[in-house]
């Protein structure tokens, strides 16, 4: 976590946005881009290149302008910001994800490493020749410096492989890619900007496009060099190389000459060691290589605190993951130093010493195990480790709130299919529900989350999405002449729903004819009492990112609001069990308000935390 003054943050962000990579827009282009995306999805469907379900996924009517924010690079001086544009609300998000899945499905790389564990397994099998050194290259701001021409050229060059994953022809596919690249825009401090160069960090399309360009760069540069690179591995924009001592600078120059926008920095080994990812690679005199678990000097060592408001099993898993990572990334050296470091970090986060000792008691020197597990392969050049998965892998499990129709019965026809669901962490109650579900529905795995998080305590740096721009909400409209309110829901933007109410109100206000058409509760109250509603005073009372949850939420709010004008038939679909629970909650809230009014002074309600650790 980095805390800085808001004025300093805004200054750094404006310095970024004043660069030639961005240009200011006069207005919000969301509706225009949304129309282009929907038209493209319609074209694909009419050409029978996608089915109706995919078309429905690609089209959107509720897109909102993304909000950019800066992520401080804490390991660099003066805390420069890395621009991040979360595209999940953008009109091109699903189209970008669709294209990324096609590109990823046929992409292969001889340079990529999947993660730190794959890198450790590979590098420990390498023997470094004499007069060679460990070197790492890093691209300066890769995503925002990828030329569009390089992207198009890479796709054309690899089209013979890409077309195996789609029925779309090359011209139409390039049109789709360019549409997404040219529609990278965002909002900052009530101004709209468009990215004119590179790709946005936060778009699901950016990682795979960067992979394609980097793959072409490495193929081209390695063929131009007068010598063969012994070891060359890549993780996104970080390169790990083994080079002759005399060729480090010439190799760096060759990489920087590939494209003026893609520039690299270099870091040489120091005292026979070089950090890469979260490992420290050590080059021994006999040419062998070993690794140690490594954390940057700026690392605070802060983990999930043992006294935090989280389930105990979550804290235990944090400790176990730390131990497993530290031990598996350390090879050919004693584990005592690793155990000591683990102990210090966990104690710093208030984990009991007895618990730490019990968790680390199984650690042994794993040099022999790793020696037998890894192949003895010397002077490896361009091996083929497992490929790095796509950032938008369609097989990735998504944790969603619980819904009844997704629960598999104990005798389900698909017993091996695991479904992950989430719910708030409430002491005792969450654990009890999890145990019941585990017995009755063994295929359902429950993950809990905290209602209160750091973002509820700290001021958000992103521009807020105004209420009128939000969708999938439950809203309340007050009556101007009495204390009644109307409760409604909408899957569209609230602005569009209020506009519909305003049009409906005007229609019934300006006509004297008898209308036999069914009327909403809002219109009925307006006609019966000759009252008006304050549409400008509309408030959001609840929201859900799942539109299927809105009807239930609406019924709950109507049932729990005593002064609503809604018809009682609006809650006919509410199960009697929920109705009973809501009645109990409503009664309890009324009693608390009454007790609060009777107190001579205001007090703060407290929560008993004694059950957290049980």
């Amino acid at each position: 976590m980095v805390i800085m003054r808001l004025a300093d943050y805004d200054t750094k962000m404006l310095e970024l946005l004043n660069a030639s990579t961005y240009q200011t827009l006069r207005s919000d282009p969301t509706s225009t881009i949304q129309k282009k995306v929907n038209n493209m999805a319609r074209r694909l469907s009419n050409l029978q290149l996608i089915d109706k379900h995919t078309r429905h996924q690609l089209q959107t009517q509720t897109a909102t302008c993304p909000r950019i924010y800066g992520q401080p690079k804490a390991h660099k001086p003066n805390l420069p910001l890395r621009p991040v544009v979360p595209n999940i609300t953008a009109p091109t998000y699903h189209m970008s994800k669709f294209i990324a899945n096609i590109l990823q499905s046929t992409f292969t790389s001889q340079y990529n490493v999947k993660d730190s564990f794959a890198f450790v397994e590979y590098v420990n099998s390498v023997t470094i020749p004499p007069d060679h050194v460990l070197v790492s290259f890093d691209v300066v701001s890769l995503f925002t410096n990828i030329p569009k021409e390089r992207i198009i050229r890479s796709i054309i060059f690899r089209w013979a492989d890409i077309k195996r994953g789609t029925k779309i022809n090359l011209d139409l596919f390039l049109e789709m890619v360019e549409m997404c690249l040219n529609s990278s825009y965002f909002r900052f401090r009530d101004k709209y900007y468009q990215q004119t160069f590179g790709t946005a960090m936060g778009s699901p399309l950016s990682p795979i496009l960067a992979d394609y360009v980097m793959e072409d760069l490495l193929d081209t540069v390695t063929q131009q060099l007068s010598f063969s690179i012994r070891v060359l591995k890549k993780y996104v924009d970080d390169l790990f190389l083994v080079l002759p001592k005399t060729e480090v600078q010439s190799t760096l120059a060759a990489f920087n000459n590939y494209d003026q926008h893609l520039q690299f920095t270099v870091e040489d080994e120091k005292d026979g060691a070089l950090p890469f990812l979260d490992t420290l690679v050590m080059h021994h005199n006999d040419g062998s290589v070993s690794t140690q678990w490594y954390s940057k000097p700026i690392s605070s060592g802060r983990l999930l605190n043992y006294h935090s408001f989280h389930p105990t099993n979550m804290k235990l898993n944090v400790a176990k993951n730390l131990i497993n990572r530290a031990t598996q990334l350390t090879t050919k050296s004693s584990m005592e130093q690793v155990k000591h470091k683990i102990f210090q970090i966990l104690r710093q986060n208030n984990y009991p010493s007895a618990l730490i000792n019990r968790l680390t008691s199984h650690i042994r020197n794993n040099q022999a195990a790793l020696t037998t597990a890894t192949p003895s392969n010397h002077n490896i050049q361009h091996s083929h480790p497992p490929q790095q998965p796509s950032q938008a892998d369609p097989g990735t499990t998504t944790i969603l709130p619980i819904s009844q129709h997704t629960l598999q019965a104990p005798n389900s026809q698909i017993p091996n299919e695991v479904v992950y669901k989430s719910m708030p962490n409430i002491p005792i109650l969450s654990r009890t529900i999890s145990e019941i579900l585990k017995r009755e529905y063994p295929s359902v795995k429950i993950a809990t989350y905290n209602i209160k998080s750091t973002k509820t305590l700290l001021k958000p740096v992103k521009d807020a999405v105004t209420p009128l721009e939000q969708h999938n909400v439950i809203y309340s409209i007050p009556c101007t002449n009495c204390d009644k309110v109307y409760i409604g829901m909408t899957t569209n933007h609230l602005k569009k729903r209020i506009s519909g109410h305003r049009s409906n109100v005007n229609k019934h206000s300006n006509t004297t004819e008898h209308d036999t058409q069914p009327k909403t509760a809002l219109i009925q109250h307006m006609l019966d009492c000759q009252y008006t509603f304050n549409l400008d005073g509309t408030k959001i009372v609840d929201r859900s990112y799942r539109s299927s949850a809105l009807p239930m939420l609406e019924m709950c709010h109507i049932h729990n609001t005593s002064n609503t004008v809604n018809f009682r038939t609006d809650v006919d679909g509410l199960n009697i069990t929920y109705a009973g629970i809501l009645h109990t909650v409503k009664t309890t809230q009324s009693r608390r308000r009454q007790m609060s009014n009777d107190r001579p002074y205001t007090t703060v309600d407290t929560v008993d935390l004694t059950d957290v650790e049980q």
Side-chain angles (χ1 to χ4, degrees):
M1 180 186 296
V2 176
I3 299 178
M4 65 171 62
R5 294 182 181 276
L6 184 61
D8 295 338
Y9 172 83
D10 285 353
T11 300
K12 291 177 182 289
M13 284 297 298
L14 291 174
E15 289 176 356
L16 278 175
L17 299 179
N18 288 333
S20 58
T21 306
Y22 307 101
Q23 68 177 19
T24 308
L25 300 176
R26 293 183 178 179
S27 59
D28 185 357
T30 299
S31 59
T32 302
I33 297 175
Q34 181 173 268
K35 192 175 299 183
K36 289 181 181 179
V37 172
N38 291 343
N39 288 339
M40 177 61 73
R42 191 178 300 110
R43 283 176 60 190
L44 295 174
S45 178
N46 292 339
L47 292 171
Q48 297 183 349
L49 299 174
I50 59 175
D51 55 29
K52 291 183 179 180
H53 176 70
T54 304
R55 171 181 170 175
H56 178 72
Q57 287 183 321
L58 297 181
Q59 290 183 320
T60 178
Q61 303 298 332
T62 57
T64 56
C65 178
R67 268 63 172 171
I68 192 175
Y69 68 92
Q71 193 176 65
K73 300 179 182 179
H75 60 288
K76 294 188 177 181
N78 300 322
L79 286 177
L81 299 180
R82 177 187 292 109
V84 181
V85 185
N87 270 241
I88 194 168
T89 63
T92 57
Y93 176 76
H94 295 290
M95 183 68 73
S96 297
K97 198 171 182 179
F98 175 71
I99 298 171
N101 287 340
I102 294 173
L103 293 174
Q104 185 65 45
S105 64
T106 58
F107 178 73
T108 57
S109 172
Q110 59 179 332
Y111 307 107
N112 280 2
V113 289
K114 179 182 178 181
D115 51 31
S116 298
F117 301 106
F119 174 73
V120 166
E121 182 180 357
Y122 165 76
V123 81
N124 275 276
S125 65
V126 170
T127 298
I128 301 177
D131 300 325
H132 281 61
V133 293
L134 307 176
V135 177
S136 68
F137 288 172
D138 181 27
V139 186
V140 179
S141 302
L142 173 60
F143 285 7
T144 56
N145 282 301
I146 301 177
K148 185 171 69 175
E149 295 76 15
R150 295 283 182 187
I151 294 173
I152 302 301
R153 189 180 307 172
S154 295
I155 292 175
I156 295 174
F157 179 74
R158 298 174 183 272
W159 183 249
D161 294 327
I162 297 172
K163 69 180 182 180
R164 292 188 285 108
T166 180
K167 296 187 292 185
I168 303 172
N169 62 49
L170 175 59
D171 291 337
L172 184 55
F173 191 81
L174 291 177
E175 185 180 345
M176 295 164 59
V177 172
E178 290 194 66
M179 179 186 68
C180 292
L181 291 176
N182 295 334
S183 302
S184 181
Y185 74 108
F186 52 85
R187 172 176 169 172
F188 182 75
R189 301 297 182 253
D190 298 328
K191 289 186 178 181
Y192 298 95
Y193 298 84
Q194 182 174 10
Q195 186 170 338
T196 59
F197 195 86
T199 63
M201 177 172 287
S203 168
L205 187 55
S206 296
I208 185 61
L209 293 181
D211 258 339
Y212 269 73
V213 173
M214 286 294 293
E215 198 76 9
D216 289 346
L217 183 153
L218 295 177
D219 285 341
T220 302
V221 173
T222 52
Q223 292 175 9
Q224 293 174 348
L225 296 175
S226 59
F227 61 95
S228 176
I229 299 180
R230 294 288 182 177
V231 175
L232 174 55
K233 291 298 168 186
K234 174 175 72 73
Y235 185 83
V236 190
D237 60 347
D238 292 331
L239 303 178
F240 178 85
L241 308 94
V242 173
L243 299 174
K245 290 181 180 180
T246 57
E247 300 291 346
V248 173
Q249 292 304 317
S250 62
T251 304
L252 177 63
F255 274 82
N256 285 334
N257 288 336
Y258 177 79
D259 190 284
Q260 61 176 341
H261 299 99
L262 299 174
Q263 297 298 295
F264 292 77
T265 59
V266 62
E267 183 177 0
D268 301 318
E269 69 174 61
K270 295 180 181 178
D271 299 325
L274 178 72
F276 187 73
L277 301 181
D278 54 351
T279 66
L280 185 66
V281 184
M282 291 170 291
H283 176 192
H284 302 292
N285 294 331
D286 61 355
S288 63
V289 175
S290 65
T291 56
Q292 285 185 0
W293 173 55
Y294 173 80
S295 55
K296 293 180 179 180
I298 65 165
S299 174
S300 64
R302 187 180 298 276
L303 301 174
L304 185 64
N305 197 284
Y306 191 76
H307 297 318
S308 63
F309 191 79
H310 288 78
T312 303
N313 63 338
M314 187 179 295
K315 302 169 191 175
L316 293 177
N317 286 335
V318 167
K320 291 176 182 178
N321 288 335
L322 172 69
I323 294 169
N324 290 337
R325 191 168 196 85
T327 54
Q328 292 184 38
L329 297 183
T330 301
T331 62
K332 301 179 183 177
S333 60
S334 172
M335 290 289 116
E336 292 305 316
Q337 291 182 343
V338 177
K339 289 178 64 175
H340 179 68
K341 188 174 182 180
I342 291 172
F343 187 89
Q344 286 185 320
I345 293 175
L346 292 179
R347 280 299 300 137
Q348 179 184 342
N349 291 276
N350 295 318
Y351 284 76
S353 299
L355 174 62
I356 301 173
N357 290 331
R358 186 165 69 250
L359 293 175
T360 58
S361 60
H362 68 283
I363 296 179
R364 297 290 184 271
N365 193 318
N366 59 352
Q367 178 179 354
L370 283 167
T371 302
T372 56
T374 55
S376 177
N377 191 0
H378 299 278
N379 298 335
I380 294 179
Q381 181 180 358
H382 301 336
S383 71
H384 299 262
Q387 299 304 313
Q388 185 175 352
S390 168
Q391 299 292 333
D393 185 357
T396 301
T397 301
T398 304
I399 296 179
L400 299 173
I402 297 174
S403 59
Q404 180 63 33
H405 69 277
T406 60
L407 297 181
Q408 296 291 336
N411 56 355
S412 171
Q413 297 297 322
I414 315 177
N416 295 326
E417 183 180 357
V418 178
V419 179
Y420 292 92
K421 299 296 175 182
S422 65
M423 65 180 178
N425 176 36
I426 303 173
I428 300 180
L429 177 62
S430 297
R431 185 182 62 195
T432 303
I433 294 175
S434 298
E435 291 175 352
I436 294 173
L437 289 174
K438 186 177 181 179
R439 285 196 309 269
E440 303 294 334
Y441 301 95
S443 62
V444 177
K445 305 296 182 183
I446 298 297
T448 59
Y449 62 90
N450 277 357
I451 300 175
K452 287 190 175 295
S453 59
T454 53
K455 67 181 181 181
T456 64
L457 305 175
L458 303 176
K459 181 180 178 62
V461 295
K462 290 193 296 184
D463 288 2
V465 178
T466 63
L468 293 178
E469 294 178 291
Q470 297 184 31
H471 65 284
N472 285 352
V473 298
I474 308 297
Y475 59 90
S476 170
I477 305 177
C479 179
T480 306
N481 306 94
C482 65
D483 65 344
K484 300 288 187 178
V485 296
Y486 172 78
I487 303 293
M489 73 171 190
T490 179
T491 57
N492 288 321
H493 289 145
L494 183 58
K495 179 180 180 180
K496 187 174 182 179
R497 186 70 185 104
I498 293 177
S499 177
H501 278 306
R502 198 181 304 277
S503 176
N504 206 14
V505 167
N506 292 336
K507 172 185 174 182
H508 287 85
S509 298
N510 299 330
T511 182
T512 58
E513 298 180 3
H514 180 67
D515 188 3
T516 59
Q517 294 296 322
K519 303 178 181 63
T520 64
L522 182 147
I523 296 299
Q524 193 66 55
H525 180 73
M526 184 188 75
L527 295 178
D528 290 347
C529 303
Q530 296 300 307
Y531 288 165
T532 60
F533 278 85
N534 181 16
L535 296 176
D536 293 329
T538 303
K539 295 181 179 179
I540 294 177
V541 296
D542 211 338
R543 57 177 57 83
S544 172
Y545 67 90
R546 294 176 65 243
S547 57
S548 59
L550 289 178
M552 176 63 72
L553 282 176
E554 182 188 36
M555 287 189 291
C556 291
H557 281 281
I558 293 174
H559 185 279
N560 230 18
T561 305
S562 59
N563 60 332
T564 178
V565 301
N566 293 78
F567 302 132
R568 298 331 298 175
T569 54
D570 291 343
V571 294
D572 283 348
L574 187 64
N575 187 285
I576 188 171
T577 303
Y578 288 107
I581 295 174
L582 290 173
H583 176 74
T584 303
V585 172
K586 184 177 177 181
T587 304
T588 303
Q589 290 176 339
S590 300
R591 288 175 179 173
R592 286 185 175 179
R593 282 194 293 267
Q594 183 63 37
M595 291 174 61
S596 178
N597 293 334
D598 294 341
R599 293 170 183 168
Y601 53 86
T602 302
T603 62
V604 179
D605 291 332
T606 60
V607 179
D608 186 3
L609 300 180
T610 57
D611 295 326
V612 173
E613 298 303 330
Q614 295 183 11

